[in-house]
Amino acid sequence: MRNNLDKIFDEKLNAYSSHVSENIWSNIHMNLPQHSANRNKRWIFLLLLFIGVSIAGSLIYYYKQFQNNSSADESIVQAVEQNFAGSLLKPTANSVETNIGLGHKETVQTDQSNHNLTGNPVSGPKSGRGVGLVLGESDLLEDRTISFTENIDDESSTNEQGAETLASTIQNKRFADKRTLLMTPADLGRRSTFVYSNQTVRRSKSKTLGDCFEEASELYFISFNVSMDYPFRSLFSANIGEIQNYIVNRENTESGLVSFSAGITGGYIHPRGWKAETGIQYTQLNEKFLFVKENVIKIQTQITIDTMYNGDGTYTIHRDTTSIEVLGFEEMKTSNHYKMLDIPLIFGYNFYFKNIGIEANAGFIFNVASSSSGRIFNPDLIPSYYGKKTNGSFLPYRMRFGTSFYGSLSLKTTIKGHTQFYFEPNARYYLRSFSSSSNPVNQKYFVLGLSSGIRYYF
Amino acid sequence: MSEQEIILGCLQNDYNCQKALFDKYSGVLLTICRRYFNDSSLAEDALQDGFIRIFNKIDQFKFEGSFEGWMKRITVNICLRKLQNENRKFDWSEIHHVKENAVNPVVDSDLNEEEILRLISKLPNGYRTVFNMYALDGFSHKEIAAKLGITDSTSRSQLVKARNMLQKMILDLYEE
């Protein structure tokens, strides 16, 4: 039974409105599903679009780098064989024995694709009779490797002049085109002293209570994230005077490429906004090695077959073999990769502004395993492979790249229920040099990245 | 914006409607929370959790009865749940067989709302909870007993003790 005191208290307090602090609304809104259904769909679309672009971009880069790596590795001898296999010699129209002269393996390149070598003819010792085509470019081998000289009445009378004219025309055109492509090492890599490295990821927190405030005071989450990164590298040494030339050559031949990282993490968020997070993450830093070696000589061999008809209706086949030395340059292009398996340990703090959640993060990323592969100058300034292709002969980098410091600022929004989507500009600084004792310079990395991901709260 | 428009907007997770609902009712609901907690930060936490529950469950409101009453009931339940989660120790000291009309309180209607809230906050947890539930939120002793896990008689005795204590505090206020 209610008495007078109850009634008066009830009347007084029933409609009484207490003063409410502004930050209460911020905290509430942070934990609510936002936006209309259409807006949710838009976020999902943007999320899928971003993830798709990220994956496609990574695959394209990786594929291109893989291609470059493979092409630089081909045997020159093999390239010559392939060229002739597809040439006009193959049909053996006149059943002529085919002789192919090969030059020194390191200097000769009769390449079909023609992107490694070019140059000018410097000499052309002829042998035999007939027409020798002086070809400056291997494309010509495919088109006009063999010139047929027909001589019906007079064995010495051939259409050699016409053939030479044709060859000259093609040759001039080819070399005219080629000159525009000639490059020197100096043209190629005038880049910054710093190269790049890769990045990381972080995720963020925010509590999404929903119905679960009974348990009340803490939230757990799991995050998936992908990050596009760009590495910035620095080379330095205590004995800078002695290896200045080495550092300059490294900087002129190496440059950063878009890199990436991806991971899965879990964490805990205190209702006051503090967050702790850890998980596992894969990181790959990419760089490009591009070096042009000048004054490379290749030797090309052309075979000319003459069919001369005799007066009695028979004919004679003559073969003319010509070797040509071509001076040019060789382009060495390789993708360098630094791959890491990491364990991040990140701490953060959450707050809310309007309908956007903001999370500041900082922490360390511990490297568990690392590997590197690619090609750089060795201390003798010779381009050398390292990693899988070296059998351990050249090991310029450590087996583990060590701990790095991580910082980020995450912007997030609720897309549905307990699920959030976030963008996270981030920076990662590697505390240790990547270099091993066999590397004359210290090599450190600073990585800027933009990660995105999804976080689900339990 | 009418209350119905606000509710419909909240059903669509519209930010402006959610904010409007909060602006309109947060003060009243905070008063409820302050009655149950003598710590203002705990009261604000309860209000926060209450609104989250309201927004998440608003699709369950069938437009039958008072929307404000529905929100108040949710808020009270949140307060009770938080009190239990906080593991607060209630003073269930028994005064059995006390008649409800044993107290004949004298209340000065000139007491303002803040003074009343201050008096309530001075009650021990057990007294305050039962007094709030019975006198101000309309629970029966049976309902109180079920929700708090006590007997009906304990609920009645707590209520009497709360009233006596409040009466004494009011008299002390006069004497000052």
Side-chain angles (χ1 to χ4, degrees), chain A residues 347-385:
Chain A
F347 299 95
Y349 181 73
N350 290 266
F351 54 99
Y352 225 77
F353 181 74
K354 300 285 184 184
N355 56 347
I356 297 295
I358 301 173
E359 185 175 277
N361 295 297
F364 291 94
I365 298 177
F366 302 97
N367 181 232
V368 177
S370 305
S371 70
S372 57
S373 61
R375 180 160 57 170
I376 61 172
F377 280 122
N378 68 12
D380 298 324
L381 291 180
I382 297 172
S384 304
Y385 282 107

Side-chain angles (χ1 to χ4, degrees), chain B residues 20-124:
Chain B
L21 184 70
F22 177 82
D23 291 341
K24 188 173 183 180
Y25 293 108
S26 59
V28 173
L29 298 183
L30 181 58
T31 300
I32 294 175
C33 298
R34 291 176 65 195
R35 285 198 275 111
Y36 280 91
F37 296 95
N38 55 11
D39 183 327
S40 62
S41 65
L42 291 175
E44 290 180 346
D45 283 349
L47 176 69
Q48 178 177 318
D49 291 349
F51 264 105
I52 291 169
R53 167 60 69 93
I54 288 167
F55 288 131
N56 285 331
K57 299 294 182 184
I58 198 166
D59 58 332
Q60 296 179 8
F61 179 68
K62 303 301 180 189
F63 294 92
E64 298 168 357
S66 162
F67 181 62
E68 183 177 353
W70 180 79
M71 289 195 299
K72 284 182 174 178
R73 183 54 65 103
I74 285 179
T75 304
V76 169
N77 287 334
I78 291 293
C79 290
L80 295 174
R81 201 166 295 170
K82 282 189 78 72
L83 283 168
Q84 292 171 334
N85 288 341
E86 292 284 335
N87 253 340
R88 293 187 165 274
K89 293 188 177 179
F90 290 82
D91 179 10
W92 299 126
S93 55
E94 302 286 323
I95 303 178
H96 295 293
H97 314 299
V98 178
K99 295 181 181 176
E100 279 194 47
N101 59 357
V103 178
N104 186 22
V106 177
V107 180
D108 188 338
S109 60
D110 289 337
L111 281 173
N112 65 37
E113 292 84 354
E114 288 296 329
E115 287 173 326
I116 293 174
L117 286 170
R118 198 175 307 119
L119 292 176
I120 294 174
S121 71
K122 289 178 180 176
L123 292 172

Side-chain angles (χ1 to χ4, degrees), chain A residues 1-16, chain B residues 28 31-37 69 72-73 76 107 113 116-121 123 127-141 143-144 159 162-163 166:
Chain A
M1 181 187 299
R2 301 180 73 190
N3 62 23
N4 190 41
L5 182 141
D6 297 353
K7 290 176 184 173
I8 292 177
F9 273 36
D10 191 18
E11 289 170 2
K12 290 275 187 180
L13 297 179
N14 187 42
Y16 177 62
Chain B
V28 173
T31 300
I32 294 175
C33 298
R34 291 176 65 195
R35 285 198 275 111
Y36 280 91
F37 296 95
K72 284 182 174 178
R73 183 54 65 103
V76 169
V107 180
E113 292 84 354
I116 293 174
L117 286 170
R118 198 175 307 119
L119 292 176
I120 294 174
S121 71
L123 292 172
Y127 297 3
R128 186 172 63 246
T129 302
V130 173
F131 178 79
N132 276 320
M133 293 178 74
Y134 183 88
L136 304 177
D137 293 322
F139 288 89
S140 67
H141 285 299
E143 291 171 326
I144 294 171
L159 177 64
R163 286 171 173 164
L166 286 169

